Amino acid sequence: MSSVVMQELYAGARAGADKKNLDGINRAFAGRGYLVTPDHDDWISAGIILARYQHRHGNVKPRHHVNDILILLGAARCEAALVTENAAEMMRWRRMTRGAYKGLKVFGVRRAEWRDS
């Protein structure tokens, strides 16, 4: 689990019950040592990737994309598969790595596929 994803989930929590559920998820991943947090090199790489993208395609607002790039870099660093509702965006950023993470698998899912019925 990426600490960036946890931050996004907490930011989207609307009710106390949501936060309580997230606290449990966070404890479970942290307790097993399964959290991935961006390191200094990830932040530098994210800046380089954003600059490369802007050079090729024009200006973007980094704050709208840096979390996605940090999530991608964390998955690549851990050699983990990346499962996301945002596969097209993640593939766009992976292309900006100049093939550095060819082995990174990105799987797209739709919310309906994993939501409890």
Side-chain angles (χ1 to χ4, degrees), residues 40 52 116:
H40 180 75
R52 185 176 299 141
D116 287 339

Side-chain angles (χ1 to χ4, degrees), residues 47-65:
I48 292 167
I49 290 166
L50 282 162
R52 185 176 299 141
Y53 184 86
Q54 290 183 97
H55 178 74
R56 291 183 185 173
H57 302 286
N59 288 337
V60 296
K61 293 188 179 193
R63 71 176 177 258
H64 293 161
H65 304 285

Side-chain angles (χ1 to χ4, degrees), residues 1-11 35-39 42-43 65-72 74 90:
M1 171 64 76
S2 170
S3 58
V4 178
V5 171
M6 288 303 306
Q7 173 265 316
E8 290 181 337
L9 291 171
Y10 273 104
L35 285 177
V36 178
T37 300
D39 62 16
D42 291 335
W43 283 99
H65 304 285
V66 72
N67 281 0
D68 286 347
I69 297 168
L70 291 171
I71 292 165
L72 177 105
M90 293 300 187

Side-chain angles (χ1 to χ4, degrees), residues 13 17 25 29 40 48 58 62 72 83-84 91 98 105-106 115:
I25 292 167
F29 280 101
H40 180 75
I48 292 167
L72 177 105
V83 180
T84 179
M91 293 302 292
R98 294 187 173 165
K105 301 222 184 294
V106 177
R115 178 179 256 165

